[in-house]
Each structure stands twice: as C-alpha cells, then as structure tokens.
Amino acid sequence: MILHDLISYDVLRLIWWGLLGILLIGFAVTDGFDLGTGTLLPFVARNDLERRVVINSVGPVWEGNQVWLILGGGAIFAAWPPLYAVSFSGFYLAMFAILFALILRPVGFKYRSKRESPTWRRNWDWALFIGSFVPALIFGVAVGNVLQGVPFRFNSDLRIFYDGTFFGLLNPFALLCGLVSVSMLIMHGGAWLVLKTQGDVRERARNYGSIAAIATIALFVLAGAYIWAFVDGYRIVGSIDPVGPSNPLVKSVEMGEGIWLGNYGTYPWMMAAPILGIVAAFLAFILLRIRLEGLTVIVSGLSIVGIISTVGASMFPFILPSSLMPKASLTVWDASSSHLTLFIMLVVTAIFVPIILVYTAWVYRVLWGKVDEDEISGGKSHAY
Amino acid sequence: MELDIVDLSRLQFALTALYHFLFVPLTLGLSIMLAIMETVYVMTDRPIWRQMTKFWGVLFGINFVVGVATGIVMEFQFGMNWSYYSHYVGDIFGAPLAIEGLMAFFLEATFVGLFFFGWDKMSKRGHLTATWAVAIGSNLSALWILIANGWMQNPVGSAFNFDTMRMEVTDFAAVLFNPVAQAKFVHTVSAGYVTAAVFVLGVSAWYLLKGRHIALAKRSMAVAASFGLASALSVVVLGDESGYLSTEHQKMKLAAIEAMWHTEPAPAAFTVVGIPDQEDRETHYAVHIPWVMGLIGTRSINTEIPGIEELVELAKVRIRQGITAFDALQQIRSLPPGDPVPGNLRKTFEDNGHELGYALLLKRYVDDPRNASEEEITKAAWDTVPGVLPLFWTFRIMVGLGFFFILLMGVFFVLSAQHTLEKRRWLLWVAVFSIPLPWIAAESGWFVAEFGRQPWIIEGVLPTAAAVSDLGAGTVLMTIIGFVLIYTTLFIIEMGLMVAAIRKGPDPEEEPESPAISSHVVPAE
C-alpha cells in the first residue's frame, strides 16, 4: 500500500480531528433545531392544532438530521476507536438515558397524530419533550465532564477501567455546561419555529428564542470564567510523536490551573471561536427582535459552531483527558485508527459528504415554506 | 442461576438485536415493493397504484420508525457493552459502520421525509426518485452492516499490531469483498423481500376474505407473489451458498448445525431430525439421508467434512500455537521502549500470531496462558463447540420455512395469474396465518449465524468473554430491564397501530375503482 502515504499520518490525524468537530457541529446544528423545537413544544404550542404545526415544522427533516448522530457514532468508532470505547462504556448510564430519549423521539413524531385520543396525544407530547430535552442536557453534561477529565485508566493490554459513577457526572460545572447546551438549542429551535410557523406560535417562539439567546451568552461566559478559576487543564510533558502508533500509554501528562486557556495565548486566532459563539448569539437576539426571520436560524447555527469549536480549541490536542491516570488521556496523536483506515475513511468522506449536502439541500428546497394550519386540519398531505 | 457480566452483556445484545431485526426485514422488502408499485403508477398513470403505494407506505412508516429508533441502540452498544472489542477491532469494524451512515442511511432517512410529505410538493417522477432513494438506501445499509458482520465471521484483510495492541486493517478490499459478507448480504436482503412479500400477501388475502378493497388487494397480491417467488428461491439458493462458505471458513459452526460429532467417510449423510446430546457427543433418534450433507457442504463426493471431535483436536493444536504467539508478544512488550524487536522474536510472532486468539480462550482458566495445564487446554478446546441442540433445530426451522415460502409463493403466483383466488378461501387463510412465519425464519437465521459463532466474538481472533466492558452486573441488568420495558411497550403500540391501519384500509378518497370491482364478490360476513 503506497497510496495512503500521500497524506502523512499526522496530517490525517489533524484532518480527522477537524472532521470529528464538523460531525458534532453538523449534528448540533441540524438535529439541534429539532431538539430545541421538541423542548419548546409544550411552551409555544397550547392546543392540539398548534402542537401539530410545531411537530410538522420538523416532521419531514428530523429523520435526516438524526443521521448526523449515527454518522458521528460511526465515525468516532472508525477514526477514534479508543475514544469510542472509553466514552461510550464510561458514560454507560448517561448513554442509556440518551438512547431511551432517542427511541421515544422518532416514535413520538410518527405515532402521536395517528389517534384522536387527547390522552394519547398528551402522552406523546411529553415523550417528545423528554426525548428532546434530555439529550440536549446530557450532551452538554458530557462535554462538561470531558473538560474536567474523566476517571478512566488502561491496563497494559489497553483494557479500559472506569472508576466514576452516573451521579458523579452531575457535578456543578458539568450541569452548567448542560445548561449552555440546552439554552443554545432552544435559541436555535426558537429561530427555526419563527421561520416555519405563523401567528401565536411564532410570537411565543420569538420570545423564548430571544431569552435563550441572552441566556446562552451569559451561561457560556460563566462557563469560561469557571474554567479559568476552577478547572484544571491537561498538558503533554516532553515530546510526543505525531506519527507514532496509537498507544496512549507512551506519553506523560500533567494537570494544572489555566492550561485550557493556554492555547489562546499560543494561537491567538483560536479566539475566533468563542467570539463567534457570543457575537452570533447576540446577533440572533437582534434579528429575532427586528424580525429578519430567514437569517436568524443561520446566525443561531453559527453561534453553535462557535461554542462547540471553543471546546475543541481549548482542549487541543487532548480529546478525552483522564483524571485518574493523566498519561492515559486520549489525544489527537495517540488515539486514532491506523494510517490506512484514516486514509480510506477520508476518501469515502470526500466522495459522499458533497453528495449528501447536495441532496439534503434539494430536500430542504422542496419543503421550503411555512407550515400551513389549514393543511394540517384538513388532514390531506401531512403525515403527522 | 448466576449471570455474570459476559452473559448479561450477551443477553442484552441478543435481545436488542433480535428486536431490531423484527423491523429491518420488512423495511428492506417493503421499501422495494413500494418503489415497484409507484413505478407502475408513474408508467401507467392509473390511480389505483398510487393508492397502493400510499396505503402500504403507511404500514411501512409505522414499521420503519421503530427500526430507526432501535438501530441507534445497536450502534451505541458496541462501545457501551463491548469496549475491549471496540478498541481491539475498531480499526476495521468501525469503517463499514461509518460508511453505512455516509452512503446509505443518510440517503434513506433524508428521502423518507419526502416520501411521506412530498406527494403534493413535487412531480410524479420527482417523488418516484425519492421512493427509490429510500429503497436503495435501506438495502445499501444492509450491505455495510453485513460487511461488518461478515468480517466477524471471517476476519480477512487484517493483522495484529503489537504497538497498538489491536487488530489493524492490511487489505481493505479483502474486507469489502469478503465472500462470507457478500453471501450473507444477498441471503439477508432476500429474506427481507420474502418477509415483505408474505406480509403483503397475507394482508391482501385478509381483505379478499373480508371482501374489502378488492382492487387493491388483488394487485398487491400479484406484486407480492411474483416478487416473493423470486426472493424465496434466491433466499434458499443463497443460503446454500452461505452454508457452502461455512464449510470453508467456519467448520465448527457447520459441524454444530449438522450435529456431526465425528468425521464421516465422504460423502457424509444429512441428519434430518434427531436430538443432539452435547454431553454424550451423539445424536439420539437421528434420521439420516445418505450422501446429502457431503454433496451440499462440499459440492463433491469425495471431500470429507470434519466432525466436532476432530475440530476440537485441531483447536488444541491452534491453542498451543497461540501460546507460542502469546509468549513472543509478551517478550516483545517487555523490551525497553524504543528498542528494536529482535528478528527471531518478530518471526516467531509473525508465524504464530494468527492463532493468538486461541491462547486468549485460556484466559477463562488461567491468567497467563503460558501456564495452562494439559487439562485446561483440553477444556478450552472443547469451549470452541457452540451449543449443538439449539443450532441444530433453529437451522432446521429456518430451512423448512424457506422451502415452505417457495411453495406458498409458487401457488399464489399461479393462482393470481388464473384469477381464481377468491374461490379458494382456505388458501387465503393459509396466507393470512403465514404472516408471522418469515419473522420466525429471520430470527432463527440470526441465531444460527451469531450463536453459531460462539465462543468467538470474532471467529478465531477474539473470544466473546474477553470483549466486554468493565461494568457492574447490576448496571447491565438495570439497562436490560429498561430495554425490555420500553421495547415491550413500543411493540404493543406498534402492533396496535399496524392492526388499526390495516383494519382502516386505504384512504377512501384515494380509492378510485373499488365499488365497481368489489360488487361481484360476496362479502365474508
């Protein structure tokens, strides 16, 4: 095999670190407005027709959006096997809670309006709320724990041992990150609803969305301050071989205050990420108030891009630090797949992602426009 | 009975996989049938075909969504419950899963929204494209999943890397064109087509019996019978191909399925029925047909098929070779970091490394396989025999049903061409009561493939017991209970909606010609 030497191992690892970020961002931006919409469902829609309008606003697209998560899972497995193995088994019960929610959600969308019974529909509305709110919260909580380091270690066979508990995940900083995640997705979902609905629903969505935009800024800044004051960062001591084998145990790592902010000193351009997160959220707030609906959802999406990129930039080159055995921390340079696998997966991605973007854009264009109340109550063309 | 973490993790995976596989076969087949029906609609412009597409589409949707919801669980569980497996083979196994998302699932999930919501928003041909995209997407999905699964059965194109302590890909084309994966793919999608055909046939038969929606039912039946006949034939032929490949790659699985305790002179006899007894290593009350097994298994009259006892002897040899590899690996790893690996040590490992997995079988009995006694090696060798009785019978159930589907579809194919269906009410009832059978066959097939692979999670490479996550048994027990609760609830709801949608029938506003045609049929009640 000579072909894969075209791109050196360290460059491939960097590219896959970037792709990991893009996948997570793709998920948060597309499925994010569904999660935000589902979380807002009980608050912006007060009767059955309004609720159906809200559900149908994401009805045709949630399924495609959710694939970002499935693709993210698959890509982590393929490109970062140790990350997949440690995080999914370590966060076992949190993952189960997410699965539980993600089982309720598709079924809720599909089944809710299949029966007239108000009790049936009310139960599914709650299922949709839980199925949207819980993942939004847990994804944030997970990021909060990753930033603090996770209590895992390897033995010499690279078998994984995890010393934490489910309730240990629910510490103050992690919950703060959970709130950042929830408020940013509500902002995004609100922006989506303002675009896709009319009348009372739109006005309520506008209010919740703009409150959430301000809350996102406040909570994000607070989380940054908390990191600066209380959260120990991680740093590689000595050298690490960027083209070395993926064995996390051959390096040394130290912990210390303020390290997570160090990258911004070394690479000042990385400041673009947090600035984008804050400025775009503020712009989303303004646009919501001055009623420029078409742009809002793009701007709120950009805020999500900024916020998630901030996490990646702060931790680089760390991906999953270990608080129990710092040298076992997973980094860009020692937690990837082999050179050949990364290359093959890059080729496949380069071929298929453009195709996916083209047909997804086409589908959104076909479905463009407001959800029509008369169409839903007439019961003709809508499935939900 | 004391269940340890390995048993519990296996139980959870089996439950969730079998449950997921209740919905997948129907999605695979029905998506293709929808695309066929809609193609006829676009070509002939007759509204009845549009009504058919929409009606079966409603049932497709109710089924599809549970398949999607439970599929996510499968993808997450490798990492959650099988973290050492994920580390050990993620370099190879992860790629097909990721490609499935990129190439197949995105297509399917993006266009399924258009299938349901796009009827009035796009041209006929535009909508037909969306329907075919869903069908192609779901079938491509199965391709990649079975490439991943095929690799677990026949791990080609990879080697152990002692720097990273895991298997890594050496030849991706070999993983892709793994003959076991290809045979499994066509066998499995054909089984999905049969499932959908029997489903459509049975529901249509029920409408004919009740004298309702005659036009829709008859046409659906014609589609189901022709599509189903072709698929039922292919499922059996390709299943035979799978079996033939097992002779080559998974000899122990084949011997267990056939309860072949000893090697017999070629060509071996086929045991039709019997009660295999794992302890006495013989099959009681066995009924044999001479020659058949040898002919199917080897496609020759003079090649022997090895029996279980001979394969166990072979396993002992492989375990010893595995110990040699394990010893070389330990020596390599005890070298100071940065030191070059001496040539002879490297050679010893390279010569024996492919049997490293067999040494890991000993981990159940000793911490260091190098200290294993003769008795422990014998025990580990016997561990390579999966449970013979359940394999023997699930295989026979699957094959028996496979032949029954050919008969069923053949009869209906002929009768629907002769337009004499309504007169043979008992046959229609047979079709109705056949609805659950393809699911029994499909789940049996899953069981044969995966239970037959035990004690390996990856044949010959990694024992299942070594692959689990470090979790508490109580934690896994809790999630099993959680899955059982939500899955049972979901199943009841899904069945309720299915039955209600079938009772309700197609949208009457879409029903163009029913009164005229159904008037000459005597209603059932």
Side-chain angles (χ1 to χ4, degrees):
Chain A
M1 278 286 174
I2 298 167
L3 204 57
H4 66 275
D5 288 328
L6 285 175
I7 309 180
S8 68
Y9 201 9
D10 50 344
V11 173
L12 276 171
R13 281 170 163 163
L14 265 184
I15 291 174
W16 272 102
W17 178 75
L19 285 174
L20 177 66
I22 289 173
L23 281 172
L24 292 178
I25 288 169
F27 168 68
V29 169
T30 59
D31 211 39
F33 65 73
D34 305 357
L35 293 173
T37 301
T39 309
L40 283 173
L41 176 68
F43 307 105
V44 295
R46 310 237 164 109
N47 59 44
D48 187 57
L49 185 58
E50 287 181 356
R51 293 206 167 162
R52 291 187 68 180
V53 167
V54 170
I55 291 168
N56 277 289
S57 79
V58 294
V61 292
W62 66 266
E63 204 139 15
N65 294 343
Q66 191 153 305
V67 182
W68 284 97
L69 178 71
I70 296 168
L71 184 57
I76 293 175
F77 198 172
W80 306 100
L83 174 64
Y84 175 75
V86 173
S87 60
F88 281 57
S89 63
F91 295 154
Y92 186 79
L93 285 177
M95 284 292 170
F96 177 73
I98 287 178
L99 285 178
F100 201 91
L102 292 180
I103 291 169
L104 284 180
R105 224 162 65 96
V107 182
F109 283 127
K110 195 82 201 172
Y111 289 178
R112 178 196 180 275
S113 300
K114 293 236 180 252
R115 283 200 193 161
E116 297 289 339
S117 149
T119 321
W120 168 272
R121 291 190 171 182
R122 203 178 319 114
N123 288 341
W124 280 119
D125 287 342
W126 278 109
L128 283 172
F129 170 74
I130 292 168
S132 305
F133 174 75
V134 168
L137 182 72
I138 293 184
F139 284 126
V141 167
V143 170
N145 280 288
V146 170
L147 278 163
Q148 298 172 94
V150 174
F152 72 93
R153 64 183 171 84
F154 291 110
N155 71 4
S156 61
D157 291 339
L158 292 186
R159 187 173 285 283
I160 302 149
F161 298 89
Y162 185 87
D163 271 6
T165 62
F166 176 67
F167 292 103
L169 296 178
L170 305 174
N171 53 69
F173 177 68
L175 288 171
L176 176 60
C177 292
L179 290 180
V180 173
S181 165
V182 169
S183 60
M184 115 190 152
L185 296 183
I186 289 180
M187 161 182 76
H188 197 41
W192 172 258
L193 281 173
V194 167
L195 178 68
K196 293 297 278 189
T197 62
Q198 295 161 321
D200 289 347
V201 174
R202 180 172 55 175
E203 291 320 306
R204 289 182 205 124
R206 189 189 307 287
N207 284 334
Y208 284 110
S210 32
I211 294 169
I214 296 302
T216 303
I217 298 171
L219 292 164
F220 181 57
V221 171
L222 190 62
Y226 196 109
I227 286 184
W228 175 71
F230 302 113
V231 177
D232 280 354
Y234 294 73
R235 179 193 294 138
I236 296 172
V237 184
S239 67
I240 183 165
D241 182 5
V243 295
S246 282
N247 186 335
L249 293 180
V250 293
K251 63 177 179 305
S252 319
V253 168
E254 65 174 7
M255 297 168 71
E257 270 177 37
I259 292 180
W260 280 158
L261 302 178
N263 274 345
Y264 299 103
T266 323
Y267 314 101
W269 56 269
M270 282 188 174
M271 280 303 289
I275 292 173
L276 178 67
I278 294 168
V279 170
F282 188 69
L283 207 57
F285 170 76
I286 303 282
L287 291 174
L288 277 171
R289 298 325 304 181
I290 64 169
R291 297 166 186 257
L292 260 175
E293 294 161 0
L295 277 179
T296 320
V297 78
I298 294 171
V299 172
S300 60
L302 284 176
S303 170
I304 294 176
V305 174
I307 289 171
I308 296 179
S309 304
T310 303
V311 178
S314 306
M315 290 176 56
F316 184 86
F318 284 84
I319 299 176
L320 186 63
S322 166
S323 55
L324 190 64
M325 186 188 195
K327 69 177 271 192
S329 299
L330 307 181
T331 73
V332 175
W333 313 121
D334 59 13
S336 75
S337 285
S338 63
H339 194 167
L340 180 57
T341 296
L342 288 186
F343 179 77
I344 291 166
M345 288 308 300
L346 182 63
V347 172
V348 177
T349 307
I351 295 171
F352 282 97
V353 166
I355 299 177
I356 290 168
L357 291 178
V358 168
Y359 64 63
T360 305
W362 182 66
V363 168
Y364 273 74
R365 203 176 60 100
V366 170
L367 298 165
W368 189 253
K370 300 263 183 198
V371 178
D372 188 352
E373 285 193 12
D374 296 336
E375 239 179 278
I376 289 175
S377 50
K380 274 304 287 176
S381 73
H382 280 277
Y384 300 155
Chain B
M1 190 170 65
E2 187 83 14
L3 284 173
D4 66 1
I5 182 70
V6 179
D7 295 327
L8 285 167
S9 303
R10 282 182 62 194
L11 179 63
Q12 176 166 310
F13 201 89
L15 284 174
T16 51
L18 286 169
Y19 187 84
H20 177 57
F21 208 54
L22 288 173
F23 305 95
V24 172
L26 190 58
T27 297
L28 288 174
L30 208 47
S31 64
I32 300 267
M33 290 181 74
L34 291 176
I36 291 173
M37 289 175 188
E38 196 177 337
T39 305
V40 177
Y41 166 61
V42 171
M43 279 163 49
T44 64
D45 212 18
R46 300 184 59 189
I48 178 79
W49 289 93
R50 173 183 156 111
Q51 184 204 26
M52 282 161 64
T53 314
K54 281 197 168 184
F55 169 66
W56 296 109
V58 170
L59 302 185
F60 172 80
I62 295 171
N63 172 73
F64 178 77
V65 75
V66 189
V68 172
T70 54
I72 304 173
V73 175
M74 300 320 301
E75 194 200 41
F76 278 35
Q77 271 191 113
F78 295 109
M80 289 168 67
N81 295 83
W82 304 95
S83 62
Y84 197 62
Y85 169 86
S86 304
H87 151 75
Y88 205 79
V89 300
D91 195 68
I92 307 128
F93 187 84
L97 292 196
I99 299 175
E100 187 237 352
L102 277 168
M103 189 187 281
F105 200 52
F106 244 113
L107 191 68
E108 178 185 11
T110 307
F111 282 97
V112 81
L114 273 193
F115 174 79
F116 289 109
F117 288 78
W119 284 103
D120 302 328
K121 292 190 174 159
M122 51 207 298
S123 71
K124 271 193 213 166
R125 281 169 195 280
H127 192 274
L128 181 64
T129 313
T131 311
W132 274 108
V134 173
I136 293 168
S138 48
N139 280 268
L140 277 178
S141 218
L143 171 68
W144 290 102
I145 295 304
L146 287 161
I147 285 177
N149 180 266
W151 188 80
M152 296 168 81
Q153 316 280 351
N154 181 31
V156 288
S158 51
F160 185 82
N161 178 347
F162 46 72
D163 283 327
T164 53
M165 290 298 289
R166 66 182 183 193
M167 299 292 291
E168 291 184 357
V169 73
T170 53
D171 181 357
F172 191 67
V175 176
L176 219 57
F177 299 109
N178 184 350
V180 173
Q182 302 298 327
K184 270 176 164 301
F185 166 63
V186 270
H187 177 64
T188 308
V189 293
S190 303
Y193 301 165
V194 173
T195 306
V198 173
F199 176 76
V200 171
L201 191 80
V203 173
S204 305
W206 187 74
Y207 282 150
L208 286 186
L209 285 164
K210 298 285 164 190
R212 295 170 55 192
H213 320 300
I214 305 294
L216 174 134
K218 279 185 157 179
R219 283 173 179 82
S220 301
M221 225 170 205
V223 174
S226 37
F227 182 67
L229 180 59
S231 315
L233 285 168
S234 109
V235 94
V236 171
V237 172
L238 297 162
D240 168 58
E241 181 67 19
S242 269
Y244 178 66
L245 289 168
S246 308
T247 332
E248 219 172 306
H249 303 292
Q250 289 183 295
K251 298 189 171 71
M252 183 61 90
K253 186 194 272 184
L254 186 76
I257 286 171
E258 301 303 347
M260 287 214 2
W261 300 103
H262 315 280
T263 308
E264 292 170 30
F270 176 70
T271 310
V272 189
V273 288
I275 303 174
D277 183 331
Q278 198 119 1
E279 277 182 17
D280 293 350
R281 294 171 199 169
E282 61 175 305
T283 305
H284 306 299
Y285 315 110
V287 178
H288 299 288
I289 308 179
W291 281 44
V292 171
M293 186 58 228
L295 292 178
I296 298 175
T298 68
R299 297 184 188 160
S300 79
I301 52 167
N302 50 16
T303 316
E304 280 188 350
I305 302 176
I308 290 172
E309 289 198 345
E310 286 67 27
L311 290 170
V312 169
E313 286 308 311
L314 194 64
K316 286 185 195 164
V317 177
R318 301 178 80 168
I319 289 172
R320 291 206 178 85
Q321 218 182 330
I323 294 173
T324 312
F326 185 85
D327 180 49
L329 177 63
Q330 298 312 313
Q331 289 186 48
I332 291 170
R333 291 172 61 204
S334 62
L335 296 169
D339 271 24
V341 179
N344 61 336
L345 208 50
R346 182 182 287 274
K347 183 160 185 338
T348 312
F349 185 75
E350 279 169 3
D351 290 347
N352 300 286
H354 53 96
E355 306 294 16
L356 182 64
Y358 277 84
L360 300 180
L361 285 174
L362 287 163
K363 288 262 186 180
R364 233 182 108 180
Y365 305 106
V366 277
D367 271 343
D368 189 333
R370 289 172 292 189
N371 302 333
S373 67
E374 204 51 35
E375 195 187 331
E376 284 160 339
I377 291 178
T378 306
K379 271 203 268 181
W382 273 100
D383 285 346
T384 60
V385 187
V388 175
L389 178 71
L391 281 174
F392 182 88
W393 278 107
T394 42
F395 179 76
R396 274 151 189 76
I397 291 169
M398 174 183 79
V399 173
L401 287 172
F403 283 107
F404 170 74
F405 297 138
I406 296 180
L407 183 70
L408 180 75
M409 290 299 168
V411 168
F412 274 86
F413 183 71
V414 173
L415 292 184
S416 63
Q418 292 174 347
H419 304 286
T420 52
L421 274 171
E422 293 98 323
K423 293 181 198 128
R424 303 171 198 258
R425 298 184 62 84
W426 69 272
L427 260 179
L428 294 174
W429 280 116
V430 170
V432 174
F433 286 109
S434 295
I435 291 178
L437 299 181
W439 275 274
I440 295 174
E443 302 277 312
S444 302
W446 183 89
F447 183 85
V448 169
E450 308 309 316
F451 188 78
R453 194 191 60 231
Q454 301 305 325
W456 301 105
I457 194 162
I458 304 153
E459 180 78 33
V461 170
L462 186 66
T464 311
V468 286
S469 298
D470 171 48
L471 293 165
T475 310
V476 180
L477 189 62
M478 198 161 95
T479 56
I480 289 178
I481 294 169
F483 277 122
V484 167
L485 287 179
I486 188 170
Y487 277 8
T488 309
T489 314
L490 215 55
F491 187 74
I492 293 168
I493 292 172
E494 201 261 0
M495 289 296 279
L497 287 175
M498 263 307 194
V499 171
I502 291 169
R503 277 186 199 283
K504 181 162 164 259
D507 187 349
E509 284 179 44
E510 292 263 350
E511 199 154 20
E513 45 192 313
S514 48
I517 289 191
S518 60
S519 58
H520 67 271
V521 177
V522 185
E525 286 101 343

